[in-house]
Amino acid sequence: MEVKIVQNILAANDALAEKNREIFEKQGIFVINLLSAPGSGKTTLLEKTIAALNKEMKIAVIEGDISTSRDADRLKKYEIPVVQINTENIGGDCHLDANMIHSAINNLDLSSIDLLIIENVGNLVCPAEFKVGENCKVVMISVAEGDDKVLKYPLAFNVSKLVLLNKIDLLSYTDFDKEKFIKEVKMVNPSAEILSLSAKTGEGIENWLEWVKEKVCRRK
Amino acid sequence: MEVKIVQNILAANDALAEKNREIFEKQGIFVINLLSAPGSGKTTLLEKTIAALNKEMKIAVIEGDISTSRDADRLKKYEIPVVQINTENIGGDCHLDANMIHSAINNLDLSSIDLLIIENVGNLVCPAEFKVGENCKVVMISVAEGDDKVLKYPLAFNVSKLVLLNKIDLLSYTDFDKEKFIKEVKMVNPSAEILSLSAKTGEGIENWLEWVKEKVCRRK
């Protein structure tokens, strides 16, 4: 019975996600659903991405969080459209779902957006289970979290098109084994792309920016 | 309706958690429910704690994880009782609940345990909502996750008796503002105790060990 309820919830979510996807498709918007554990560096990556690409494409962001608008506040200075979703009062504490995104996009002028980045709630578990209408999921992990996370949270890595290994500026201060990490990503997702970077220092970020530009360009 | 279902689930869970608590109480076991995001260092703390205290008290561990027995495997060399719970096939991916703990303790000889540490699934959201029969929750965060996490994940800090700030060996390589962090912990939980340490290097770990010893001792 319990499983049945969960299946119904996921089926209803997927149907609405498909509707969202059609809306985005029609407007030619490339949509990234960005997942990670708390504190892996999603918002810092957004800041650097917007600063670098804001002049050549129109970017909007949907911020998912349980409480606070801290992440949205950090993006204010870039003067792009940002919608904050706080999940604590809408029954979905730990992840964004298609219905939340469906409501959020009413607050955006979709006809003037090329790239929409959805920063999910910081959580490597449930956000991986819910489609929201994205073109693809991107999962980020920081080297400070350890090299054993892929097989412990396999779905997040399995459903993501791109894996970002962040905070490589801390690599020499940790025991992180990059070869092991890459090997295990390939185990759960042979076609995953993997990029290493430091959103903070900017090292390697050009590969991420190229990846984004290529996706948005192909969309037009 | 949806909220009602959730309330019923939590009420049923809390009733079973209370039963677990009575069982632990009767056996004089001090039970810690250890929460954190993925990769904050829970298992490393367990390794150091067992190595330091194994001779003066009887320790057992319940490991919660979605997939794999990686954390349990790391504890094998200490030859203490360890029970692994994998949540992926029992409908509760992202957190441990009282029923899982109730099943797990059938695999432990409770009469010969002084301290039971339950390492929850790496997730700062849902594990905070579920009692499992513990004496207290302890939440751990690593400095690499950033100083803005308390107000973003307030429940985890609100329900925990002790907050462990881990990976202080990385403090000088990050922008973590410890004063801000402590101030915000006190905002959501004025009575919380806060200890800084590096489970990896051992710095500050003596304060944690004293805290544990005092709790277990008072229990006897």
Side-chain angles (χ1 to χ4, degrees):
Chain A
M1 188 60 185
E2 196 187 7
V3 172
K4 202 171 169 191
I5 293 172
V6 171
Q7 283 173 340
N8 287 348
I9 290 172
L10 283 177
N13 180 76
D14 284 1
L16 189 52
E18 187 55 32
K19 274 195 192 171
N20 291 345
R21 221 195 56 72
E22 283 165 19
I23 293 168
F24 295 136
E25 187 80 23
K26 201 173 161 187
Q27 302 282 354
I29 305 171
F30 188 75
V31 182
I32 294 171
N33 184 355
L34 182 58
L35 317 182
S36 85
S40 302
K42 294 187 295 303
T43 313
T44 302
L45 182 75
L46 282 186
E47 291 182 287
K48 297 297 174 77
T49 305
I50 298 161
L53 301 181
N54 204 11
K55 280 182 183 157
E56 53 189 293
M57 60 180 74
K58 290 167 189 158
I59 307 174
V61 171
I62 297 177
E63 283 289 349
D65 233 319
I66 299 168
S67 297
T68 85
S69 59
R70 286 193 156 178
D71 293 346
D73 294 343
R74 286 170 61 184
L75 303 182
K76 267 184 189 162
K77 60 179 172 290
Y78 302 102
E79 296 182 352
I80 63 157
V82 178
V83 179
Q84 175 75 54
I85 299 175
N86 279 142
T87 61
E88 69 178 347
N89 298 318
I90 48 177
D93 282 359
C94 71
H95 61 274
L96 295 178
D97 65 24
N99 191 39
M100 296 179 205
I101 298 302
H102 199 74
S103 304
I105 57 180
N106 289 328
N107 299 294
L108 291 170
D109 174 10
L110 296 179
S111 66
S112 68
I113 298 172
D114 302 311
L115 170 67
L116 172 64
I117 305 182
I118 298 169
E119 182 179 342
N120 219 306
V121 177
N123 179 355
L124 269 185
V125 192
C126 303
E129 295 174 18
F130 287 79
K131 294 176 185 169
V132 299
E134 68 272 20
N135 289 90
C136 67
K137 289 186 172 76
V138 172
V139 64
M140 173 178 260
I141 179 171
S142 113
V143 298
E145 292 164 36
D147 55 30
D148 61 342
K149 294 302 170 291
V150 177
L151 298 189
K152 293 179 70 176
Y153 302 89
L155 189 65
F157 293 89
N158 174 262
V159 298
S160 293
K161 191 174 178 59
L162 174 65
V163 176
L164 297 176
L165 179 60
N166 192 25
K167 305 196 188 180
I168 54 169
D169 54 302
L170 296 179
L171 201 52
S172 58
Y173 309 115
T174 70
D175 307 322
F176 194 92
D177 181 341
K178 198 171 154 183
E179 274 183 43
K180 175 189 170 192
F181 174 76
I182 291 171
K183 190 177 151 201
E184 295 188 350
V185 170
K186 294 295 178 189
M187 278 169 67
V188 303
N189 186 351
S191 67
E193 297 172 72
I194 305 171
L195 297 176
S196 302
L197 55 87
S198 167
K200 184 179 162 187
T201 68
E203 186 183 350
I205 203 165
E206 66 281 3
N207 298 319
W208 155 252
L209 297 175
E210 281 309 312
W211 187 93
V212 171
K213 281 196 273 189
E214 193 269 330
K215 293 286 178 290
V216 172
C217 181
R218 208 159 54 173
R219 199 88 194 141
K220 288 289 140 191
Chain B
M1 188 62 183
E2 196 186 7
V3 172
K4 203 172 168 189
I5 293 171
V6 171
Q7 283 173 340
N8 287 348
I9 290 171
L10 283 177
N13 180 76
D14 285 0
L16 188 52
E18 187 55 31
K19 274 195 193 169
N20 291 346
R21 220 194 57 71
E22 283 166 18
I23 292 168
F24 296 136
E25 186 80 23
K26 202 173 159 186
Q27 301 282 354
I29 305 171
F30 188 74
V31 182
I32 294 171
N33 185 355
L34 182 59
L35 316 182
S36 85
S40 303
K42 294 187 293 303
T43 313
T44 302
L45 182 75
L46 282 186
E47 292 182 285
K48 297 298 175 77
T49 305
I50 297 162
L53 300 181
N54 204 11
K55 281 183 183 156
E56 53 189 293
M57 62 179 74
K58 291 167 188 158
I59 307 174
V61 171
I62 297 176
E63 283 289 349
D65 233 321
I66 297 168
S67 298
T68 85
S69 59
R70 285 192 156 179
D71 294 343
D73 294 344
R74 285 171 63 184
L75 303 182
K76 268 184 188 160
K77 60 178 174 289
Y78 302 103
E79 297 182 351
I80 62 157
V82 177
V83 179
Q84 175 76 54
I85 299 174
N86 280 143
T87 60
E88 69 179 346
N89 298 319
I90 48 176
D93 282 359
C94 71
H95 61 274
L96 296 178
D97 65 24
N99 190 40
M100 297 179 203
I101 298 302
H102 198 74
S103 305
I105 58 179
N106 288 328
N107 299 293
L108 292 170
D109 175 9
L110 296 180
S111 66
S112 67
I113 298 173
D114 301 312
L115 171 68
L116 172 64
I117 305 183
I118 299 169
E119 182 178 341
N120 220 305
V121 178
N123 179 354
L124 269 185
V125 191
C126 304
E129 295 174 18
F130 287 80
K131 293 176 186 170
V132 298
E134 68 272 18
N135 288 91
C136 66
K137 289 187 172 74
V138 173
V139 64
M140 174 179 258
I141 178 170
S142 113
V143 299
E145 292 164 34
D147 55 30
D148 61 342
K149 294 301 171 289
V150 177
L151 299 190
K152 292 178 72 177
Y153 303 90
L155 190 64
F157 293 89
N158 176 261
V159 298
S160 293
K161 190 173 177 62
L162 174 66
V163 176
L164 296 176
L165 180 60
N166 192 24
K167 306 196 187 179
I168 54 168
D169 53 302
L170 296 178
L171 201 53
S172 58
Y173 310 116
T174 70
D175 306 322
F176 194 92
D177 181 339
K178 199 170 152 185
E179 271 183 45
K180 175 189 169 191
F181 174 76
I182 291 172
K183 189 178 150 199
E184 294 187 351
V185 170
K186 294 294 179 187
M187 277 169 66
V188 303
N189 186 351
S191 66
E193 298 171 71
I194 306 170
L195 296 176
S196 301
L197 54 88
S198 167
K200 184 179 165 189
T201 68
E203 186 183 350
I205 204 166
E206 66 281 3
N207 298 319
W208 155 253
L209 297 175
E210 281 308 313
W211 188 92
V212 171
K213 281 196 272 188
E214 194 269 330
K215 293 287 180 286
V216 172
C217 181
R218 208 158 54 172
R219 200 87 193 141
K220 290 287 142 192

